[in-house]
Amino acid sequence: MRIAIASGKGGTGKTTVAVNLALALEDVQLLDCDVEEPNCNLFLGFELEPVEEVNCLVPEIDPDRCTLCRNCASFCKYNALVSLPKKILSFPSLCHGCGGCSLVCPAGAIEEKPEPIGVIKKAPCGSPLTFLCGTLNIGKAMATPVIRSLQNHIDESKPVIIDSPPGTACPVLEVMECADYCVLVTESTPFGFHDFLLALEAAKALNVPVGVVLNRDGLGDSRVEDFCRAEGIPVLLRIPDDRTIARLYSEGIPFVKEMPEWKKKFEHMFGTIKGLACKNTGVQ
Amino acid sequence: MRQLAIISGKGGCGKTTLTAAFSSLSENAALADCDVDASDLPLILKPQVINRENCPGLELASIDPNLCTGCSICREVCRFGAVLENFTINPYGCEGCAVCTVACPENAVSLVPRVSGQAVSSITRFGPMAHAKLDIGEEASGKLVNMVRKKAAELADQYCCKLILIDGPPGTGCPVMAAITGTDLVLVVSEPTVSGLHDLKRAVELTAHFKIPTVACINRYDINKKKSLEIEAFCREAGIPLLACLPYTDITTKAMVKEETVIEYAAHWMDSGAVEFANIVRKLWEEIEMRLSESFEKETCSRALKIRKS
Ligand code: SF4
Ligand code: SF4
Ligand code: SF4
Ligand code: SF4
């Protein structure tokens, strides 16, 4: 079973929920798919080992064969190729690796070379938690291939908890699409509610069942709860607005470690999710 | 016309709360909410929309079922897995690269334009504002941010504003670059957490790269005073003036629930904590206003540049 932890926006406590849930359950896999800003390991502190380099195929032009017909440059939708009077200039950082330029080159002058765009890292064997994280190289815009490679490492025999990227763009949809259940983390404030609605819209578009974790509960108002009650969306857990939790967060300490009573609450939440996800998919 | 951008390495640092507060302090500044992913400023400022404009995104492939023979060539060439088994296109997967259009032997595929979001112009109780609404599955692009800034500049001209306040997007990617280029001053809102200093450094690297004078403040500084001291030390070393340390408080949330800026909230609700907090924000704003006047510019700029070398 795959549980995606998502939110319409950064800074709502997505990583906190993902990390604490994983630590409370122990025998699970945790995937940090927020590849632009992978933060889970700040709370876990593993010595990560690289397991895979993620590449994107970028064109390399053989100047001897190139006839300067400009087909490739006019084809490229992302301006990754620019034609100069005497040569074709390529900008690999803009390339999406679609392979179109080599397809349209009449002279066979283009060869595709793998260019690293990110890396997949893993917690060392023997650690109690199976943890994998993907990091997009600075200056690269292609998060989706890194997320896809990360998902190839999923071990289906264990429950998988996925820390999703923030927002509602392609990378989040990539994660939500493959999830059996989506946990939306939010605060009950006007900002939180607004961002929650955006994330909910994305989950609905992909038909993933959702539940809510209210972070910093007690602060703000009841608009998220009222909405959830009206729409039949379960509120799975409430994390209070507690100074101790905020301080532990600021120091990078997952609060289940210092406040063991929370372990039970996360276990309970997991039980609820299992029930809800199974009901929805008809899986035992 | 002067431009101030407010950014932070990541979301949830209180950027929008501060931008809203500044808008009520400065009065008659034009606002640009460049957090196009999840635009929150309108929730406090309740804009009256005067105009909307679609922003074109990447194109989308479309297969004509009358011409398609089901040969599957398009599925083989598409590297993004966007052609589904029934030869329709998954709009969330398609990058509009056009490879399928040239590969299809029947000429059954064409690219159609798609809208990635809308840029909106509006009027608020503190001045004109531009913001955006991004469609689901669309990337927050520099293009949309540029549209928002352009609209804000037009509004500023129209309403004779001397200042544009830009609420920046989170992160340090392309939308942030689009939000800060050509501004006169950047305020980085930082937080004393394990990632706070890291995010601040990245943001400062970016502003140094664009040679924009930069100042900083720490939000919820008293959650972790040790981390706050580290941030302070970094700022000193990098020559980034640290203008304020804001305490951990529920005032910002209370004000948000009332759909008011913290400044308005302090004035309306006789809450001594709120008045105290509003005064800190007011002092911060005075410092910023001073730096937005010409004479300060060169000094902060050259000092900010030093960190690039170290
Ligand atoms: S592979 Fe595609 S994106 Fe990259 S340069 Fe060629 S045409 Fe452009
Ligand atoms: S399409 Fe091939 S031959 Fe034509 S300009 Fe590009 S690389 Fe050169
Ligand atoms: S390549 Fe053209 S004809 Fe073949 S399946 Fe695709 S759309 Fe249909
Ligand atoms: S335009 Fe590119 S991404 Fe879209 S379906 Fe065609 S080949 Fe795939």
Side-chain angles (χ1 to χ4, degrees), chain B residues 129-149:
Chain B
M129 170 162 93
H131 70 276
K133 165 103 179 67
L134 199 68
D135 294 341
I136 294 292
E138 299 294 332
E139 215 75 44
S141 67
K143 220 194 225 163
L144 189 52
V145 170
N146 283 332
M147 261 180 91
V148 170
R149 286 191 61 187

Side-chain angles (χ1 to χ4, degrees), chain A residues 59-63 65-75 81 83 87-88 100-111:
Chain A
E60 200 173 78
I61 297 170
D62 179 350
R65 298 175 96 169
C66 175
T67 59
L68 287 172
C69 72
R70 309 196 198 302
N71 275 3
C72 54
S74 54
F75 178 84
L81 296 170
S83 71
K87 75 184 275 206
I88 304 288
C101 48
S102 55
L103 199 72
V104 299
C105 173
I110 299 182
E111 208 184 319

Side-chain angles (χ1 to χ4, degrees), chain A residues 13 16-17 213-218 237-242 245 255 262 266:
Chain A
T16 309
V17 172
V213 169
L214 280 177
N215 196 18
R216 307 227 283 145
D217 188 34
L237 185 73
R238 294 156 196 277
I239 303 172
D241 179 43
D242 178 316
I245 292 179
F255 63 83
W262 277 93
F266 277 106

